[in-house]
Amino acid sequence: QEIKFDKGKKYILGGIEVTGVKSYNTQTVITYSGLRVGQEITVPGEQITNVIKKLWKLELFSDVTFYIDRVEDDKIFLELHIQEVPTLSSVKIEGLKKKKGEAVLKEADIKKGKRVTESFITNTRNFLVNKYKKQGFLHARASITPIPDTSAVNAVKMLVSINKGDKVKVKDITFDGNEALKDKTLRKAMKNTKRKVFGRFWKKSKFIPEDYKEDLTSLIDKYKEKGYRDARIISDTVIDNKTNKISINIDLEEGDKYYFGKIDFVGNTVYSDRQLASVLGIEPGDTYNGVLLRKRIQDNTKPDGEDITNLYQNNGYLFSSINPVEISAKNDTIDFEIRIIEGKLAYFNDVRVSGNDKTNDHVIYREMRTRPGQKYSKENVIRTIRELGGLGYFDQEAVVPDIKNANPDAGTVDIEYGLTEKGSSQIELQGGYGGGGFIGTLGLSFSNFAIKDLFNKKAYKPVPMGDGQTLALRLQASRFYQTYSFSFSEPWLGGKKPTQFSASLSHSRQFYYDWRTGRPDKSQRFYITSLTFGLAKRLEVPDDYFTLSHALSFQYYDLENYNIGLFGFGSSGYAKNIAYTIALSRDNRFPKLIYPRTGSRFTISARVTPPYSLFDGVDYGNLENEEEFWEKDDDGNVVYDDDNQPVADVQKIEQEKIKWLEFYKIKFDGEWYNRLVGDLVLKTSANFGYLGAYNQDRGVVPFERFFLGGDGMANYTLDSRETIQLRGYPNQSLSPNIGSTIYNKFSMELRYPLTLKPSASIYGLVFAEGGAAFDSFKNYNPFQLKRSAGFGLRIFMPAFGLLGIDFGHGFDSIDGTGQKNGWETHFIIGQQF
Amino acid sequence: CSQFQKALKSEDVKLKYDLAEKLYNEGDYKKANRLLEQIVPQYAGKPQGERVVYFHANAYYQTKEYYLAAYQFDRFSKSYPKSDKAEEAAFLGAKSYYMLSPKYSLDQRETNTAVDKLQLFINTYPDSEYLDEANELVRELRTKLEKKDFEIARQYNRISDYKAAIKSFDNFLSNYPGTPFREDAMYYKMVASYNLAVNSIYSKMQERLSHTRESYNTLKRYFPDTQYSDEAEKMMTVVNKELEQFSK
């Protein structure tokens, strides 16, 4: 039926008839089309085209056609013919085991309800074949057969048949035409395609076409590195033996060996030829090496490498471009001209961050090394990324700098750092058995707290956050001891300078454990209360890796009938301790956490108390001669011994000496990191500590002492004792019960990482160390070391912190019996590293 | 409540629709939405679809689920551009983003979206009854964005990076010529310039001092009775005294 109509004439839409529908409601199709009966419509015209496009876009139809049904006066009646794409009703997979098959279907996104179009079938087949080729199944085949499903409307079943074939291994790789480089060197250059050799287990022999192509490129790169810049592959043949083995034959043409000739710099005004040449590091007469030349100009593998591009980029020349040009090749010598366009100096204009949904601007902007008006520097951009990542509030891998609006004429550039907030609060709630009873721990730690919002109800989502402060609360209790602690720190006190303020308050109580009844005896107890304020300031001179810190602390020890030989004095009494600590440290380890490769960290500190004995007028050496310190009986009469001498009350004398603790403590800790080869790192460390008394009559205090030996885990720190790690010996075995007053320790550790992924870092280590602790300076002999060596493993996972195990062998005896200590196993949990 | 549970589990779309409408009209938006969630897809393309989507969006808005409300209002505007409710939906959709806008010191993604959406609304419906409110919201959000940039610039002053502060205030003043923080920005730029000058090495001092004088002049030109005049005059006394050594 032919109906005449005027081209592009306007009609009123009189009606639409939808034909060809199978599963859809005709009304729904009309609604999708957006056409309404009664509307004005131009036929033919753009409106119709748009409707067709719109319907196509739904990907539900394999055919969309409009027909004119009839025209009555100014009314037009249209027919919309569609053909629906069938949907997938069920899938059967052949050639794979059930579980595997289901996984593959999921991976290929084949599921019920999918629209089965031609392209879907083709793409899926290609996906499946490639998947297996990538795994080394060179002969993998897949077929997909749609079968109409009569049980449902417009549906198909699909039969997916996969034939993986055998895994193909490379039997042999032969080279023809190579004289300068040996077969062995060439095979090594092919990183991914390897011959099948018995006994080589770390790199399997597979043939994966994509990797093979890449290997051919690296083969030529190998030649280029050796001066053969014309080297090429004439042909490469993969001989399929129709078994599961193939042979590869590569025919090469090496060409001549070339050398660098003259290298001229053109266009440089900022740096002299000599400066550039020294960065380039290539002398005339060197073997031609295109790869090296490229790397020295711009090393894409190292964003902070020392190349010419970075020399310019780090000093404001964002718009610079550097191009090496071969200007002549005479015989075997190639002359180069390195053409430099320096461009205008670029300055940062707008510097912003985005993505900080929790952390306030001021916490971020103060850490940035790129500021508005500053000269552009790639190095500073990289450092900013590191520092922002290092704050701990953002995903370290997801700090993305976006350099925008670079304007070479004005010499300005904007930068925006994209951040992704990550959870930085921890809640610890645990219970367990230990020390003869149930131990419960409740810990709350917020590392991005905002204390100013403490009383702002709206800010609790779920806690006030975003000011970069740390707040931690920890309660731990069992029947025998309880610890309560609270700490707070603000990294930028006052917001002007990075001066860290910290405060902590803690209280612990321990009760005597009665072994016979298994109950705590509350009449025998030891309480410690401690309050500390600290300030740490990053210095600018001599360099900004230095930190100077001060701390003022007060401790109160209260013993009641608590006689376990922990301290040198009696079982009841008290001690008060006001101490001031000053420490200077420098830390330029990189990277700072988990696995430092270079740099060092050292700290020298002094902890001192006021010298009370200078002005309190007490003659501590003569206390036993004073009546006040004589033992008295219940009636208050002085007790005399057999020689008619008054008996001194030892406990009272000891108490007098520790009423206010008086001591000074000097410590040095140093560690150095050196990268030996690749990721192999040597950590060398030296530690020294000395606790002394101003007044020898008063003696060295029983607190604050050093305990050497074992894993070094400080699980008992409230009395300011210091546990020093020395592996290969039992915990604290190298110090007497009451602790040492002087120690030194030297250690060497070789580390090698197994993986350094953000989700888990694992490294292995071997160590050799030695240390010694003494009870006085008189007996001190820095060379009388207790030696040990061993090996271990560390695992760092952000969720758990650090876990480790070390096996150490102690070569010396603990008590001087001449028998070496032998093997010890140490578990290391969450230690400073 | 059991009627609600029954409807929730029922297969009968009409039953859900009727109860949802009833709950919606009674103001129980949370429950209404649980039913609407289920029936919105079924009504797509049907005459009642328009009502259902609008109810769904507005119920989210009423229950302060602004992300979802914004999304549903957007859908509504796209699907039913000719609806009587289109204007209201466009406004409430934009206002949902306004509600989501966080405090100035955080990322302002939602604020920017809200400004764009509100501006689009103002341009599309210049005679709307919501026009005044929309204008007011835009003004408030713009001020927030200005405050953000102003505070960032001022922080450079606080951490003694005066060069960055000067540059930031310059950018701020040229980006937001009508900002209510104009006077403060001019003053703090002068403070930055002053601190840079008086702590300067000798060779750059004269130039920096005269820059301070220029900032002072700008401040006085635009705000002759500035609230900061005491502090500004004090600084100028020092600047003038320091400049004397160069005029000799």
Side-chain angles (χ1 to χ4, degrees):
Chain A
Q1 186 186 3
E2 231 171 76
I3 293 169
K4 282 187 182 166
F5 60 91
D6 296 323
K7 279 213 161 172
K9 197 183 161 193
K10 270 187 190 167
Y11 295 96
I12 300 290
L13 185 58
I16 312 171
E17 194 191 345
V18 183
T19 56
V21 282
K22 284 180 184 162
S23 59
Y24 293 105
N25 187 321
T26 48
Q27 185 58 40
T28 312
V29 177
I30 293 171
T31 313
Y32 274 138
S33 76
L35 293 173
R36 279 184 192 196
V37 174
Q39 77 175 87
E40 221 170 55
I41 190 165
T42 312
V43 180
E46 216 173 300
Q47 267 164 302
I48 296 283
T49 322
N50 284 342
V51 171
I52 293 175
K53 268 190 203 158
K54 198 172 160 189
L55 291 174
W56 264 114
K57 236 175 146 179
L58 295 170
E59 290 184 349
L60 300 173
F61 310 115
S62 59
D63 189 19
V64 180
T65 328
F66 271 99
Y67 298 101
I68 296 167
D69 191 26
R70 61 184 190 278
V71 177
E72 289 175 8
D73 301 330
D74 58 342
K75 278 190 183 162
I76 190 162
F77 293 80
L78 297 174
E79 180 192 337
L80 170 58
H81 181 80
I82 56 167
Q83 204 156 6
E84 291 180 23
V85 174
T87 47
L88 187 58
S89 63
S90 68
V91 194
K92 206 179 150 201
I93 192 155
E94 271 184 358
L96 290 177
K97 278 182 195 151
K98 195 167 176 258
K99 267 245 169 90
K100 267 272 170 67
E102 277 166 16
V104 167
L105 290 180
K106 208 170 168 193
E107 203 183 332
D109 202 22
I110 304 173
K111 57 186 176 203
K112 237 174 105 176
K114 273 262 169 191
R115 307 280 156 186
V116 184
T117 57
E118 275 303 313
S119 71
F120 174 69
I121 292 175
T122 317
N123 286 342
T124 309
R125 191 174 47 227
N126 290 345
F127 172 83
L128 292 172
V129 171
N130 277 336
K131 174 185 155 73
Y132 288 106
K133 281 202 172 163
K134 267 187 200 157
Q135 292 173 11
F137 296 96
L138 191 65
H139 302 310
R141 269 174 295 149
S143 75
I144 295 177
T145 327
I147 308 157
D149 186 350
T150 45
S151 66
V153 184
N154 192 34
V156 287
K157 294 191 234 177
M158 215 160 86
L159 177 67
V160 181
S161 155
I162 294 170
N163 184 357
K164 286 203 292 190
D166 286 317
K167 210 171 234 184
V168 170
K169 306 221 159 160
V170 182
K171 191 178 154 216
D172 205 5
I173 306 174
T174 50
F175 299 97
D176 283 330
N178 57 319
E179 280 170 17
L181 297 187
K182 282 189 226 149
D183 285 6
K184 199 177 149 196
T185 319
L186 295 178
R187 271 190 210 112
K188 217 171 150 191
M190 298 179 74
K191 289 256 151 47
N192 298 306
T193 312
K194 296 285 182 197
R195 287 194 298 179
K196 190 173 157 59
V197 175
F198 183 75
R200 182 167 45 75
F201 54 87
W202 58 90
K203 190 99 199 183
K204 285 208 176 126
S205 157
K206 282 189 212 166
F207 184 79
I208 297 157
E210 276 173 41
D211 291 348
Y212 172 65
K213 281 209 185 90
E214 202 177 288
D215 280 348
L216 292 182
T217 316
S218 22
L219 202 64
I220 294 304
D221 278 348
K222 187 87 212 168
Y223 269 104
K224 285 190 178 157
E225 280 172 32
K226 301 279 180 198
Y228 296 88
R229 104 188 148 122
D230 294 340
R232 64 190 180 106
I233 292 169
I234 298 171
S235 70
D236 69 293
T237 326
V238 177
I239 304 151
D240 196 336
N241 300 339
K242 286 294 165 214
T243 52
N244 57 355
K245 290 203 181 95
I246 56 164
S247 304
I248 299 171
N249 192 348
I250 296 170
D251 201 357
L252 292 157
E253 188 183 276
E254 289 182 332
D256 293 329
K257 188 170 181 171
Y258 287 86
Y259 297 91
F260 279 113
K262 248 173 44 178
I263 299 175
D264 289 326
F265 295 94
V266 180
N268 52 316
T269 60
V270 189
Y271 298 104
S272 67
D273 287 2
R274 185 199 278 250
Q275 279 170 312
L276 291 174
S278 87
V279 176
L280 192 67
I282 295 173
E283 300 283 335
D286 285 359
T287 304
Y288 175 79
N289 182 344
V291 179
L292 181 72
L293 180 71
R294 215 164 43 223
K295 269 194 175 179
R296 291 286 161 80
I297 287 174
Q298 180 168 17
D299 189 347
N300 287 324
T301 58
K302 273 192 235 144
D304 49 357
E306 285 185 17
D307 50 50
I308 294 183
T309 303
N310 274 352
L311 184 67
Y312 276 99
Q313 291 286 325
N314 288 343
N315 292 289
Y317 291 92
L318 171 68
F319 306 114
S320 60
S321 74
I322 294 139
N323 288 307
V325 180
E326 261 181 44
I327 48 168
S328 83
K330 273 180 228 141
N331 301 327
D332 58 353
T333 305
I334 303 173
D335 291 345
F336 272 95
E337 201 168 88
I338 294 177
R339 295 187 183 155
I340 298 170
I341 300 165
E342 292 179 336
K344 208 168 172 175
L345 262 174
Y347 292 89
F348 285 114
N349 186 39
D350 199 12
V351 179
R352 317 197 141 255
V353 296
S354 66
N356 54 322
D357 296 328
K358 289 182 195 153
T359 309
N360 290 318
D361 284 342
H362 70 97
V363 175
I364 305 163
Y365 281 84
R366 64 194 184 192
E367 302 292 347
M368 294 209 287
R369 301 268 164 176
T370 51
R371 304 256 169 91
Q374 233 176 43
K375 225 195 281 174
Y376 170 83
S377 157
K378 189 170 148 193
E379 198 179 3
N380 284 347
V381 173
I382 293 170
R383 194 153 173 199
T384 303
I385 295 169
R386 276 181 196 149
E387 310 240 322
L388 293 183
L391 285 174
Y393 317 140
F394 308 108
D395 184 348
Q396 220 158 345
E397 309 299 312
V399 182
V400 187
D402 183 8
I403 291 180
K404 304 195 284 199
N405 305 330
N407 184 341
D409 296 330
T412 58
V413 61
D414 293 346
I415 187 164
E416 180 173 305
Y417 296 92
L419 306 171
T420 314
E421 298 264 3
K422 68 169 189 188
S424 50
S425 302
Q426 284 173 332
I427 293 180
E428 176 193 15
L429 184 64
Q430 62 177 44
Y433 273 87
F438 178 79
I439 303 172
T441 307
L442 171 66
L444 292 173
S445 140
F446 310 110
S447 64
N448 190 3
F449 200 72
I451 203 147
K452 71 167 192 304
D453 287 334
L454 197 60
F455 301 107
N456 178 0
K457 238 166 117 193
K458 268 206 233 155
Y460 279 78
K461 302 180 211 165
V463 287
M465 284 187 57
D467 276 353
Q469 294 155 344
T470 320
L471 183 80
L473 281 167
R474 200 176 152 86
L475 314 173
Q476 191 169 46
S478 75
R479 287 195 298 165
F480 310 101
Y481 78 88
Q482 289 141 28
T483 314
Y484 312 93
S485 65
F486 166 84
S487 65
F488 170 78
S489 77
E490 155 67 63
W492 282 61
L493 187 66
K496 290 186 175 171
K497 291 257 135 67
T499 303
Q500 188 187 44
F501 168 79
S502 59
S504 69
L505 177 66
S506 67
H507 178 69
S508 81
R509 351 176 119 207
Q510 322 193 24
F511 302 104
Y512 178 74
Y513 178 57
D514 192 330
W515 293 103
R516 279 165 305 148
T517 60
R519 289 214 186 96
D521 180 354
K522 299 225 169 177
S523 68
Q524 303 186 45
R525 58 181 176 75
F526 180 25
Y527 290 178
I528 304 167
T529 308
S530 155
L531 177 66
T532 306
F533 296 102
L535 269 185
K537 201 174 163 184
R538 198 155 71 194
L539 301 184
E540 276 152 23
V541 246
D543 64 35
D544 61 0
Y545 294 117
F546 275 94
T547 306
L548 180 66
S549 61
H550 310 266
L552 195 62
S553 67
F554 172 75
Q555 271 139 336
Y556 183 75
Y557 303 94
D558 182 10
L559 275 88
E560 184 67 49
N561 215 7
Y562 196 74
N563 196 0
I564 59 165
L566 191 60
F567 304 109
F569 63 100
S571 58
S572 294
Y574 69 90
K576 286 183 261 187
N577 180 8
I578 286 187
Y580 164 71
T581 310
I582 181 165
L584 181 69
S585 64
R586 182 175 192 273
D587 185 353
N588 67 342
R589 291 173 302 160
F590 180 79
K592 215 149 232 138
L593 297 175
I594 304 169
Y595 197 78
R597 290 186 170 86
T598 57
S600 64
R601 172 168 69 166
F602 76 81
T603 305
I604 182 157
S605 73
R607 181 168 160 90
V608 297
T609 63
Y612 305 101
S613 53
L614 268 185
F615 43 79
D616 67 0
V618 179
D619 182 359
Y620 290 95
N622 199 28
L623 290 178
E624 69 255 37
N625 297 328
E626 286 177 30
E627 196 184 337
E628 200 191 324
F629 295 96
W630 291 344
E631 208 161 301
K632 302 191 176 88
D633 60 18
D634 295 342
D635 301 331
N637 299 320
V638 175
V639 178
Y640 292 90
D641 64 5
D642 297 346
D643 298 334
N644 213 14
Q645 291 295 315
V647 178
D649 186 337
V650 181
Q651 192 163 336
K652 212 165 176 188
I653 292 172
E654 287 298 331
Q655 171 64 59
E656 180 67 20
K657 286 183 181 172
I658 61 160
K659 204 157 73 184
W660 285 97
L661 295 186
E662 190 181 295
F663 66 90
Y664 64 94
K665 182 151 82 173
I666 293 161
K667 287 196 297 178
F668 170 81
D669 297 290
E671 57 194 51
W672 291 263
Y673 295 86
N674 294 90
R675 192 196 327 230
L676 299 180
V677 188
D679 278 336
L680 185 69
V681 169
L682 174 69
K683 176 192 170 190
T684 318
S685 65
N687 310 72
F688 168 83
Y690 176 66
L691 177 68
Y694 303 124
N695 183 326
Q696 296 314 318
D697 291 336
R698 256 186 113 161
V700 181
V701 292
F703 303 99
E704 303 268 345
R705 293 185 176 215
F706 305 105
F707 293 82
L708 182 68
D711 54 29
M713 303 288 296
N715 48 9
Y716 194 84
T717 52
L718 285 169
D719 69 321
S720 302
R721 65 172 52 194
E722 305 198 23
T723 33
I724 314 294
Q725 183 186 60
L726 184 63
R727 291 165 284 190
Y729 297 93
N731 285 354
Q732 309 179 7
S733 61
L734 301 175
S735 294
N737 265 350
I738 57 160
S740 309
T741 60
I742 181 165
Y743 89 95
N744 58 3
K745 185 196 148 188
F746 307 97
S747 172
M748 285 172 100
E749 197 171 288
L750 270 177
R751 296 172 165 187
Y752 190 77
L754 303 174
T755 168
L756 290 176
K757 293 207 186 93
S759 54
S761 303
I762 305 175
Y763 64 86
L765 57 91
V766 292
F767 67 86
E769 56 194 17
F774 307 91
D775 59 2
S776 72
F777 199 76
K778 260 197 317 232
N779 299 332
Y780 178 60
N781 179 354
F783 303 107
Q784 204 181 62
L785 297 176
K786 305 283 185 190
R787 295 154 303 165
S788 70
F791 58 94
L793 195 71
R794 293 285 182 281
I795 300 174
F796 179 85
M797 281 180 287
F800 297 101
L802 184 87
L803 302 171
I805 183 166
D806 282 344
F807 302 97
H809 189 89
F811 295 112
D812 295 294
S813 63
I814 296 172
D815 45 12
T817 51
Q819 205 159 15
K820 70 175 187 174
N821 185 57
W823 288 101
E824 292 282 341
T825 307
H826 306 286
F827 294 97
I828 283 131
I829 302 162
Q831 202 194 14
Q832 271 292 314
F833 45 88
Chain B
C1 194
S2 71
Q3 194 197 354
F4 173 70
Q5 289 297 344
K6 228 189 267 169
L8 208 56
K9 287 191 191 109
S10 158
E11 294 282 316
D12 186 352
V13 181
K14 183 81 175 81
L15 181 75
K16 290 179 199 242
Y17 176 82
D18 289 340
L19 185 62
E21 186 169 4
K22 185 171 158 259
L23 289 167
Y24 179 86
N25 288 331
E26 283 168 4
D28 194 343
Y29 299 111
K30 242 189 188 132
K31 276 188 185 163
N33 243 354
R34 287 189 59 192
L35 291 168
L36 288 167
E37 248 165 39
Q38 299 182 340
I39 58 174
V40 161
Q42 265 105 329
Y43 279 102
K46 292 199 179 131
Q48 299 98 318
E50 187 177 325
R51 274 164 76 77
V52 173
V53 177
Y54 179 81
F55 284 168
H56 194 37
N58 199 34
Y60 275 135
Y61 184 84
Q62 297 296 343
T63 49
K64 302 196 163 129
E65 301 261 12
Y66 295 116
Y67 273 113
L68 295 165
Y71 174 72
Q72 294 297 346
F73 277 125
D74 263 5
R75 260 186 72 179
F76 182 83
S77 303
K78 277 199 193 105
S79 311
Y80 309 101
K82 304 218 168 75
S83 163
D84 324 333
K85 294 277 189 189
E87 179 185 328
E88 195 184 331
F91 177 68
L92 289 177
K95 198 174 169 182
S96 298
Y97 281 106
Y98 164 84
M99 293 294 194
L100 288 168
S101 163
K103 64 176 169 178
Y104 75 90
S105 55
L106 300 178
D107 187 293
Q108 297 295 307
R109 209 179 310 117
E110 288 82 7
T111 314
N112 288 317
T113 314
V115 170
D116 291 348
K117 295 246 167 200
L118 285 165
Q119 200 56 58
L120 186 69
F121 173 80
I122 292 166
N123 299 342
T124 320
Y125 303 100
D127 304 318
S128 171
E129 55 171 315
Y130 302 111
L131 192 70
D132 288 347
E133 192 183 349
N135 276 321
E136 176 56 28
L137 297 181
V138 169
R139 202 192 53 77
E140 194 184 314
L141 293 176
R142 292 229 163 102
T143 308
K144 187 189 275 186
L145 292 173
E146 287 159 14
K147 183 173 171 64
K148 182 185 185 71
D149 281 13
F150 174 72
E151 290 294 340
I152 290 169
R154 207 158 71 129
Q155 190 189 10
Y156 289 126
N157 252 355
R158 207 175 316 132
I159 61 175
S160 312
D161 191 337
Y162 302 115
K163 284 188 202 165
I166 294 169
K167 178 75 187 156
S168 300
F169 281 119
D170 277 344
N171 286 348
F172 179 79
L173 288 166
S174 69
N175 289 344
Y176 307 109
T179 174
F181 299 102
R182 197 168 158 80
E183 181 183 347
D184 306 73
M186 283 179 173
Y187 168 69
Y188 282 110
K189 188 198 155 185
M190 181 189 168
V191 172
S193 164
Y194 171 79
N195 279 314
L196 184 65
V198 295
N199 295 313
S200 172
I201 52 167
Y202 187 79
S203 62
K204 291 195 174 165
M205 201 172 197
Q206 187 180 8
E207 189 193 343
R208 288 175 176 173
L209 287 168
S210 34
H211 281 165
T212 311
R213 182 183 271 168
E214 280 163 30
S215 330
Y216 170 78
N217 290 340
T218 314
L219 176 67
K220 284 302 258 188
R221 188 160 66 245
Y222 287 99
F223 300 96
D225 306 317
T226 172
Q227 52 167 321
Y228 298 112
S229 65
D230 289 354
E231 295 93 330
E233 295 303 338
K234 239 181 249 165
M235 284 189 275
M236 279 317 289
T237 326
V238 179
V239 168
N240 289 330
K241 212 175 126 196
E242 291 283 347
L243 272 173
E244 271 172 26
Q245 59 179 314
F246 296 102
S247 55
K248 273 172 207 162

